[in-house]
Amino acid sequence: MTELAAILADRIRAGGPITLADYMAECLLHPAHGYYTNRTPFGADGDFTTAPEISQMFGELLGLCMAQYWIDIGRPACTLAELGPGRGTLMADVLRATRTVPGFHDAVQVTLVEASPTLRAQQRQSLGAHPVWWVGSVQDLPEAPLLLLANEFFDALPIRQFTRHPAGWSETLVGLRDDRLSLGKGEPLPIPALAHRIADTATEEVVEHCPTGQMVAARLGDLIARHGGAALVIDYGDWRSRGDTFQALQKHQFTDPLAQPGHADLTAHVDFEALALAAAPARHAFTTQGQLLAALGIEARAKALAQRLNGAALQSHHTAFRRLTDPMEMGSLFKVLALFRPGFPPPSGFA
């Protein structure tokens, strides 16, 4: 039993079972034993690898997409922000790719939404001398036009999970069985936030709900609707939540989410419809990662980079291209939601 498991067990003995959202929040963000508090999970030596770590092409194309949108909306002074910037790899690629866009770097204030002092230090190193501002939450983003990227941010936000029942919705809870953490179900209750899902679910079907994600989306949508700009949310999931997607990753392998609290990454698929609805009155567009990268020109960029490579480096480059775009890999599993101001077109790459 990990130290955090013992703390959670004591909490459950004292107050009863906790929600999956409470469990995820403690496992990921506990001030002493949380997963993101104590480790850098990214890359080959960590527990998972994100698209920016796979290839520079990902950040380059998204950066140029943002720069083009900045031009399309009249080149305003604005915030260039990222949610959950990890080691700063994505933003570093964005800034490198856009350094030749006239006036862009002078117009944007690079702002990273990051609470961890350890990750802030790594981000500072990745971004070199470029001016950077850090804020602790989306509520602290400036009241200004916004260009924002969120890659694999929403999947780590705590979810509540419910199973449809004739009498309402039965919530998944974390309790104790034989002094070990165990999943169980609460009493069926009406859940107003899921009233719209009655029509498209059957008894015993599972639906997941992410209140924090919807609050974040509402803030982004409000900023964009009032001040202009766009946000790109890239993550794995579907347009509408369906089924049990709660999972844990450790050393690039799936593992039991209850086995070692604080030592594994916990995630769930993103419900993009819920984010889009929460972001209203901002408008939205939706596509897959593979389709977006293809529309932004990843094939031409891959060919250009390949001309300078050979041997193992060239093979690695081809593998990275396939991982990002192939429908059997990240190309279809990962989706992209664009949020943009009413009366304006979506960013490049969206129909």
Side-chain angles (χ1 to χ4, degrees):
M1 181 177 287
T2 66
E3 292 178 296
L4 183 55
I7 292 171
L8 290 169
D10 287 342
R11 175 180 170 180
I12 292 168
R13 289 189 193 97
I18 60 176
T19 67
L20 212 54
D22 287 340
Y23 178 75
M24 287 183 70
E26 291 284 12
C27 289
L28 297 177
L29 301 173
H30 187 280
H33 307 296
Y35 179 75
Y36 287 111
T37 307
N38 293 307
R39 67 196 69 232
T40 302
F42 316 102
D45 295 330
D47 294 318
F48 57 87
T49 303
T50 62
E53 309 278 348
I54 292 170
S55 171
Q56 68 187 68
M57 296 184 291
F58 182 80
E60 290 172 345
L61 292 173
L62 294 185
L64 291 172
C65 178
M66 291 283 92
Q68 181 60 57
Y69 202 71
W70 171 75
I71 294 170
D72 294 342
I73 62 175
R75 304 171 186 260
C78 65
T79 305
L80 175 61
E82 185 180 355
L83 304 183
R87 294 190 288 204
T89 304
L90 175 57
M91 186 58 73
D93 290 338
V94 166
L95 293 174
R96 186 183 64 256
T98 57
R99 66 181 183 272
T100 59
V101 178
F104 183 63
H105 282 198
D106 292 332
V108 300
Q109 175 180 300
V110 175
T111 304
L112 303 180
V113 181
E114 177 61 69
S116 166
T118 301
L119 288 176
R120 286 188 181 192
Q122 292 185 29
Q123 292 153 14
R124 174 70 284 167
Q125 185 174 8
S126 296
L127 299 179
H130 198 286
V132 180
W133 283 258
W134 281 272
V135 296
S137 78
V138 293
Q139 302 303 324
D140 301 322
L141 287 171
E143 294 288 331
L146 177 67
L147 299 172
L148 179 135
L149 297 172
N151 181 63
E152 294 199 54
F153 171 80
F154 284 89
D155 65 86
L157 297 180
I159 61 159
R160 296 177 68 186
Q161 188 185 84
F162 299 89
T163 301
R164 176 81 183 274
H165 187 276
W169 297 93
S170 180
E171 184 162 12
T172 301
L173 301 174
V174 179
L176 292 175
R177 182 179 295 131
D178 299 327
D179 280 334
R180 298 182 68 84
L181 297 172
S182 175
L183 294 178
K185 294 283 198 302
E187 290 296 318
L189 296 169
I191 304 295
L194 297 180
H196 66 295
R197 299 305 307 273
I198 296 296
D200 75 327
T201 56
T203 300
E204 297 303 319
E205 281 200 83
V206 173
V207 170
E208 294 169 343
H209 175 56
C210 183
T212 303
Q214 292 184 28
M215 287 189 290
V216 171
R219 170 60 173 165
L220 299 182
D222 176 65
L223 280 174
I224 289 168
R226 289 189 294 111
H227 299 291
L232 296 182
V233 175
I234 309 100
D235 228 311
Y236 51 87
D238 291 294
W239 179 246
R240 179 172 289 189
S241 166
R242 188 181 298 275
D244 177 3
T245 71
F246 177 54
Q247 61 190 28
L249 273 177
Q250 193 172 35
K251 300 299 181 184
H252 302 270
Q253 300 290 327
F254 291 108
T255 188
D256 179 355
L258 303 184
Q260 291 189 297
H263 290 251
D265 183 39
L266 302 181
T267 68
H269 285 204
V270 174
D271 182 339
F272 286 97
E273 180 188 43
L275 298 184
L277 292 173
R283 295 182 62 200
H284 64 268
F286 187 64
T287 189
T288 66
Q289 176 175 297
Q291 290 171 330
L292 178 64
L293 293 177
L296 295 177
I298 192 171
E299 187 172 352
R301 180 58 177 152
K303 288 180 179 178
L305 288 174
Q307 292 178 357
R308 293 178 268 170
L309 303 173
N310 55 60
L314 180 60
Q315 182 59 45
S316 177
H317 173 63
H318 288 317
T319 299
F321 172 80
R322 185 172 63 253
R323 285 187 66 185
L324 292 177
T325 62
D326 193 294
M328 300 302 293
E329 300 205 35
M330 298 175 75
S332 290
L333 175 63
F334 278 71
K335 314 296 194 303
V336 189
L337 177 70
L339 304 175
F340 53 99
R341 194 177 197 180
F344 286 77
S348 299
F350 292 86

